[in-house]
């Protein structure tokens, strides 16, 4: 995967509207984006994933229903 495929810090701020990492993660999750965190806790996601969510290629509602209920554990 090309390193430039990942959103930059500034692009994530623009996408989420937040500078604080925890707020970025909350906004991403609330809008159906999957991400990983780097060693410093910043969310990392690819343009391929962002475009798939924005173009409706990923069914966010179905995905939400497939997540485990960790609160039940």
């Amino acid at each position: 995967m090309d390193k430039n495929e990942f959103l930059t810090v500034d692009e994530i701020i623009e996408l989420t509207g937040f500078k604080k990492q925890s707020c970025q993660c909350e906004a991403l999750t609330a809008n159906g984006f999957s991400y990983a965190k780097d060693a410093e806790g910043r969310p990392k996601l690819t343009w391929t994933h962002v475009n798939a969510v924005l173009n409706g290629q990923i069914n966010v509602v179905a995905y939400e229903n497939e997540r485990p209920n960790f609160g039940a554990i």
Side-chain angles (χ1 to χ4, degrees), residues 10-71:
D10 288 337
E11 290 168 335
I12 292 174
I13 291 170
E14 184 176 349
L15 176 65
T16 63
F18 295 102
K19 289 185 179 183
K20 188 175 179 183
Q21 296 169 9
S22 61
C23 293
Q24 291 171 350
C25 292
E26 288 177 21
L28 290 168
T29 300
N31 287 288
F33 294 100
S34 299
Y35 59 90
K37 290 184 181 180
D38 68 11
E40 296 177 4
R42 288 189 295 261
K44 301 291 286 184
L45 64 161
T46 65
W47 276 111
T48 301
H49 179 67
V50 170
N51 289 323
V53 171
L54 295 177
N55 291 323
Q57 295 170 331
I58 295 177
N59 186 340
V60 176
V61 174
Y63 178 71
E64 286 291 328
N65 293 334
E66 293 177 10
R67 289 186 181 179
N69 180 358
F70 292 110

